[in-house]
Amino acid sequence: MTALAAYNNSDLNESFKVTSKDILKVKPYLELIPGDEVKALDIFNSMLIGSCNDAALALANFTAQKTGSNFAHLMNSEAARLGMGSTSFNNPMGFDNAGNYSTAEDLKLLITATQKLSAFTALRRRSNYEFTGNLNNVYSVVSTNTLLKN
């Protein structure tokens, strides 16, 4: 849902500067460096392919700043739009919390919606991703999906 909310509420072709608010050292993470300028699409791809928690946080912060809206509110608005009536989000990383819950039926609605978008389907078999920030920092991720190795 983090990816869908960012996709629908920001321009992934824009770049943004990483700040200290984007740093989250909870594995898996991208090891973003404050002050580096990165493309939102690279962060989006890293989040989806590598499940990077700091990428999810940075993309959420970027989108919230662009829209002026609380990112969890954007996520919940997307869920409502999709008819996900048994779902609530309160953080972009999906960390366990009483405010984060869903059902298999609702998650199926989310997956169905994202599979209609090329930004999502283009990544479905990718097992790694690499990009370079404006300060020449190289960021790379490897998929956490062990099924891709088959």
Side-chain angles (χ1 to χ4, degrees):
M1 181 56 78
T2 300
L4 184 61
Y7 178 86
N8 285 335
N9 292 283
S10 65
D11 181 353
L12 296 179
N13 290 310
E14 285 188 37
S15 294
F16 65 92
K17 194 168 282 198
V18 175
T19 71
S20 60
K21 292 179 182 179
D22 300 325
I23 304 306
L24 181 64
K25 295 195 180 216
V26 177
K27 290 184 179 182
Y29 58 96
L30 198 54
E31 297 189 58
L32 292 169
I33 298 171
D36 206 356
E37 189 168 322
V38 295
K39 193 170 185 178
L41 182 60
D42 288 326
I43 299 300
F44 175 91
N45 291 344
S46 297
M47 179 186 67
L48 287 177
I49 293 168
S51 300
C52 297
N53 288 307
D54 58 347
L57 181 60
L59 190 60
N61 289 341
F62 165 71
T63 303
Q65 187 261 328
K66 294 302 273 181
T67 62
S69 296
N70 175 282
F71 193 77
H73 174 75
L74 294 174
M75 294 172 72
N76 289 314
S77 293
E78 290 290 336
R81 181 181 66 78
L82 295 175
M84 297 170 67
S86 298
T87 294
S88 175
F89 297 101
N90 76 351
N91 70 67
M93 291 76 59
F95 291 161
D96 286 343
N97 185 291
N100 269 348
Y101 57 86
S102 192
T103 64
E105 185 176 327
D106 279 2
L107 292 176
K108 182 180 176 194
L109 293 171
L110 175 60
I111 291 166
T112 299
T114 61
Q115 294 312 292
K116 295 175 183 173
L117 304 170
S118 63
F120 291 83
T121 59
L123 301 175
R124 76 176 117 194
R125 300 300 297 169
R126 293 284 303 263
S127 61
N128 57 34
Y129 189 77
E130 185 174 286
F131 69 95
T132 304
N134 196 48
L135 298 177
N136 292 319
N137 296 306
V138 177
Y139 301 97
S140 62
V141 298
V142 175
S143 177
T144 59
N145 185 349
T146 56
L147 296 175
L148 289 176
K149 295 175 182 158
N150 294 332

